[in-house]
Amino acid sequence: MGFIADSLNRIQPSATIAVSTKARQLKATGRDIISLSAGEPDFDTPQNIKDAAKRALDAGKTKYTDVDGIPELKAAIAAKFKRENGLDYKTSQVSVGTGGKQVLYNALLATLNPGDEVIMPAPCWVSYADIVILGGGVPVFAQTHLEDGYKLKPEALEKVITPKTKWFVFNSPSNPTGTAYSAEDLKLLTDVMLRHPHVWILTDDMYEHLLYDDLKFATIAEVEPRLYERTLTMNGLSKAYCMTGWRLGYAAGPELLIKAMYKLQSQSTSNPSSIVQWAGVEALNGPQDFIAANNAIFVKRRDLVVSMLNQASGLVCPKPQGAFYVYPSIKGTIGKTSKSGVAIKTDEDFVTALLEEEGVAVVHGAAFEGSPSFRLSYAASTASLEEACKRIQRFCGNLS
Ligand code: PLP
């Protein structure tokens, strides 16, 4: 028995944070590093949101608030769900936490019993599985494939459902693949869910607004109202509102679940920062036009990286319709050797050698349960993306 809890020894530190930290350390030693590993927009938070935070501070909004959010923010969230998703939620069905991550953590920890299974499409965001494991549950991966644009097939979902399945965690647009589902795509999955009434659905809509090529966003409870009673619709301010460091996320769902999440949060962090909550009210109620302006930039960057990566020897890069990630397969490089003599046996070998030899930081697919691939975040300046893709092309060209 060690000092550290067994439960903690069963999980991994976040791989995306680990790669970003390593890239920062290398940069600090003077090396020329381009880091495309972090999942955050390079744009600054819009000024009206910053101003709202300053006003809150000056007005003395510096005290404890209700554990799971001030009424004004809950009202803004309920209005957002009505306006953008056609979903009716009372403020008593809304929960606000310190980042989307805490909201997910609350929902899973508040509901999982030992051995409960949680299905997630693979590749998927790094934290789902570890949060499930911390909660005593068992992550179950429903595999998706590059040939299908990483979209989950209804058969693949149905195959992994058992009497022990408690949750299906779904995420569109997806981190790490950027895959986005239309309402028609979702209907295929909600039909499966209707046949399994014991399974709850946690839909992570974090990248809702980062959608391209005129694809219209859809979410599960909207597409299939019969699932409303067992769906938690989660979202947050981090990505579209360029507020990753502020830490604000939210969800809406059945009151029973929202109350359980409240109980857990009341014994951990209590309320999210009071100042940040007031900024959140402005973010949701204020002008939204910066989102389209940012997306116009993202889409150009996506097209650039997809085109350049597909010209790299051994890489195949699908063109996703959402988020700010691409997820190329590196299958064609496995078994080769890099310029400095590193044998590429796994995607971890690939990204490690790429960082050492060319100074480009990306995250290996194994971290997302989807190998052999890597995730590149194109939330970076066009010039640095162009340079990074040139270096990736050179790295792949030098493999022998
Ligand atoms: N869900 C997905 C799919 C994400 O990519 C992230 C952040 O990377 C989160 C949730 C958590 O977001 P937050 O930074 O608000 O905790």
Side-chain angles (χ1 to χ4, degrees), residues 354-398:
L354 178 66
L355 182 56
E356 289 300 331
E357 293 179 19
E358 294 287 356
V360 176
V362 293
V363 185
H364 51 293
F368 308 100
E369 298 292 332
S371 288
S373 299
F374 65 83
R375 185 194 78 175
L376 178 150
S377 163
Y378 57 84
S381 74
T382 307
S384 64
L385 288 170
E386 211 162 344
E387 174 61 22
C389 289
K390 270 191 206 150
R391 294 186 193 183
I392 293 171
Q393 287 177 351
R394 187 165 61 208
F395 177 79
C396 290
N398 283 335

Side-chain angles (χ1 to χ4, degrees), residues 99-101 104 125 128 171 175 204 206-207 238-239 247:
K101 204 178 227 173
L104 285 164
W125 182 47
Y128 297 140
N171 172 220
N175 176 3
D204 177 344
M206 207 69 192
Y207 294 90
S238 296
K239 312 290 177 173
R247 314 305 302 130

Side-chain angles (χ1 to χ4, degrees), residues 78-79 81 87-94 221 228 231-233 252-254:
F81 278 125
L87 289 170
D88 284 301
Y89 288 114
K90 296 189 289 241
T91 51
S92 56
Q93 291 179 276
V94 173
Y228 176 90
T231 298
L232 183 71
T233 306

Side-chain angles (χ1 to χ4, degrees), residues 265-287:
Q265 191 161 309
S266 77
Q267 293 295 15
S268 56
T269 59
S270 294
N271 61 274
S273 155
S274 53
I275 300 154
V276 170
Q277 289 189 68
W278 284 103
V281 172
E282 172 62 22
L284 292 172
N285 289 344

Side-chain angles (χ1 to χ4, degrees), residues 16 38-40 97-104 124-128 170-176 204-207 234-239 243-250 323-325 368 375:
T16 47
E40 65 180 343
T98 304
K101 204 178 227 173
Q102 186 183 26
V103 175
L104 285 164
C124 59
W125 182 47
V126 289
S127 295
Y128 297 140
F170 180 75
N171 172 220
S172 169
S174 154
N175 176 3
D204 177 344
D205 296 351
M206 207 69 192
Y207 294 90
M234 177 248 154
N235 210 316
L237 284 283
S238 296
K239 312 290 177 173
M243 293 176 72
T244 45
W246 297 67
R247 314 305 302 130
L248 201 63
Y250 60 87
F324 35 63
Y325 308 109
F368 308 100
R375 185 194 78 175

